[in-house]
Amino acid sequence: MSEQIESTVTVIDKVFTSPARYVQGIDLIDRAAVYLRPLGSSALIIADEIVWGIAGEKLQESLIGDGLAADHEVFGGEASLREIERITERARTGGHEVIIGLGGGKTIDTARAVADHAKLPVAVFPTAVSADAPTARVSVIYTDEGVFDSYLFYDRNPDLVAVDTRIIANAPVRTLRSGIGDALATAIEARAVNRANSRRMDDTARPTLAGLALAEKCEETILAFAHQALRDNEAHVVSRALENICEANTLLSGLGFENGGLAAVHAIHNGFTAIGGDIHHMTHGEKVAFGIGVQLMLEGAGEEEADRYIGFLQSVGLPTTLEEIHLGDATDEDLHRIAELACSEGETLKQMPGSYTPTDVVEAIKAADLYARSLRDSA
């Protein structure tokens, strides 16, 4: 009798995920109830104290005026498990039917986690398009001290993402610029994941061609409209260019990274949390901008490609050197700590083609800094 050999084949499917509805428009908060009513009649709005004064009170008044109940919970500032549990307890005992995350990335990450823990739908209202977090079904979790801790993945994306472009036009220009840095990384990382035939950031599925196509459209839009949109943001004008960048920073980048995959850029960003110092005063997108140069150096990008991206980042005022991200005095030990965290098992650097050691990453950080300084000086 011939020996029967049993084999187990693990199949990794391609998966595309997205929010149930994305809405973008001028003065959208004034008609928010139209889009929130299908999710529930009683909302808990999570926002920090600053955002509450900017947009929270207006959103609450708008919802109440249109017949919905709306309570408010102050976000403490850190997307930590402790903060998530605190607000979840309020959501569970308050009789709320829908959670609203109003604000920036950490507020939105917290709102998503609270909604998941409380088994409620979640609506995301970004007050700045400074990162591509709003559309995703993942939260980035930090310790109470602000050090990267983990990712939390959910069964579904937000039920609603609503971008009021009037609010975005009146937000600080730095936030739009930061979102441009985050969004520019989307196609760079998605192409690397595609070349590696790798997986999405959650490791459970393979990226789709649709994700890659959205990432490419995101880059095309950023390169075409970023400079004009920044000028319009400075003047508080809700222009077509600004609207296009809002969509690129939020929808195209969000769907692009989730369905196209993350690679070295965001691993480098998370690696920065391994050290202290003034780098933590930089925004997510500003740190991602520097990480773009690092991935390009890891990949061995030629001068034309490196000039295109690093030169663009410099032209819109995003940081490309160690000095500009407050690491000009970083020691080799500091850089190795960053690199070791970036290369850790749970990070997305493993989605790159080939394999890289912490030493490879340290040298790429130094090379990115040197290249950017040389390009800046020559200009």
Side-chain angles (χ1 to χ4, degrees), residues 130-143:
S130 56
D132 53 17
T135 64
R137 64 181 187 92
V138 60
S139 290
V140 184
I141 303 302
Y142 297 86
T143 66

Side-chain angles (χ1 to χ4, degrees), residues 198-215:
S198 197
R199 300 184 186 186
R200 291 161 43 117
M201 65 173 296
D202 58 6
D203 263 352
T204 63
R206 293 168 58 203
T208 57
L209 291 175
L212 180 59
L214 289 166

Side-chain angles (χ1 to χ4, degrees), residues 296-297 303-315 320-321 367-379:
L296 292 172
M297 295 301 110
E303 285 190 9
E304 181 179 353
E305 183 180 10
D307 285 359
R308 181 188 188 203
Y309 292 111
I310 296 175
F312 172 82
L313 291 169
Q314 292 178 349
S315 75
T320 58
T321 69
D369 174 63
L370 182 61
Y371 195 101
R373 286 189 285 116
S374 176
L375 184 63
R376 181 192 60 197
D377 293 344
S378 66

Side-chain angles (χ1 to χ4, degrees), residues 332 335-337 339-340 357-367:
D332 280 353
L335 298 184
H336 272 281
R337 288 167 62 193
E340 286 168 1
T357 67
T359 298
D360 295 328
V361 173
V362 169
E363 297 306 308
I365 291 173
K366 293 178 178 179

Side-chain angles (χ1 to χ4, degrees), residues 83-354:
E83 181 70 352
I84 290 164
E85 286 302 321
R86 181 186 72 81
I87 302 178
T88 298
E89 182 62 24
R90 168 80 191 277
R92 285 172 174 159
T93 59
H96 303 102
E97 297 176 355
V98 57
I99 302 298
I100 298 175
L102 177 70
K106 289 188 176 182
T107 303
I108 291 168
D109 280 344
T110 300
R112 264 194 296 259
V114 168
D116 182 74
H117 289 17
K119 308 301 181 187
L120 294 173
V122 61
V124 172
F125 282 71
T127 52
V129 290
S130 56
D132 53 17
T135 64
R137 64 181 187 92
V138 60
S139 290
V140 184
I141 303 302
Y142 297 86
T143 66
D144 292 330
E145 294 71 35
V147 178
F148 171 76
D149 181 82
S150 61
Y151 293 110
L152 285 183
F153 294 97
Y154 310 119
D155 292 334
R156 69 177 193 269
N157 296 66
D159 300 271
L160 171 67
V161 177
V163 180
D164 188 323
T165 50
R166 176 86 68 190
I167 291 174
I168 304 306
N170 285 286
V173 177
R174 185 183 183 186
T175 60
L176 188 74
R177 182 180 292 113
S178 175
I180 288 167
D182 196 27
L184 188 65
T186 306
I188 294 170
E189 293 188 281
R191 284 193 289 264
V193 174
N194 185 61
R195 288 195 298 271
N197 193 30
S198 197
R199 300 184 186 186
R200 291 161 43 117
M201 65 173 296
D202 58 6
D203 263 352
T204 63
R206 293 168 58 203
T208 57
L209 291 175
L212 180 59
L214 289 166
E216 298 283 10
K217 186 63 179 179
C218 177
E219 180 179 294
E220 175 190 323
T221 305
I222 291 293
L223 296 177
F225 296 102
H227 293 93
Q228 182 183 347
L230 288 167
R231 291 192 296 268
D232 295 336
N233 189 182
E234 187 75 45
H236 311 302
V237 175
V238 187
S239 65
R240 181 61 62 86
L242 182 67
E243 290 178 342
N244 289 345
I245 292 300
C246 285
E247 186 173 341
N249 285 9
T250 308
L251 183 62
L252 294 176
S253 185
L255 297 185
F257 96 76
E258 189 169 23
N259 297 289
L262 295 179
V265 177
H266 277 78
I268 298 299
H269 167 275
N270 292 340
F272 288 141
T273 66
I275 62 172
D278 288 342
I279 186 172
H280 298 299
H281 298 307
M282 307 299 289
T283 67
H284 174 82
E286 289 166 346
K287 289 179 280 187
V288 165
F290 181 83
I292 288 172
V294 178
Q295 178 167 321
L296 292 172
M297 295 301 110
L298 278 174
E299 293 176 313
E303 285 190 9
E304 181 179 353
E305 183 180 10
D307 285 359
R308 181 188 188 203
Y309 292 111
I310 296 175
F312 172 82
L313 291 169
Q314 292 178 349
S315 75
V316 295
L318 283 162
T320 58
T321 69
L322 285 170
E323 181 180 10
E324 289 169 343
I325 59 169
H326 305 295
L327 289 182
D329 296 327
T331 65
D332 280 353
E333 181 181 357
D334 291 331
L335 298 184
H336 272 281
R337 288 167 62 193
I338 294 167
E340 286 168 1
L341 181 53
C343 292
S344 61
E345 177 59 30
E347 270 306 333
T348 55
L349 197 142
K350 65 179 181 292
Q351 313 292 21
M352 293 277 291

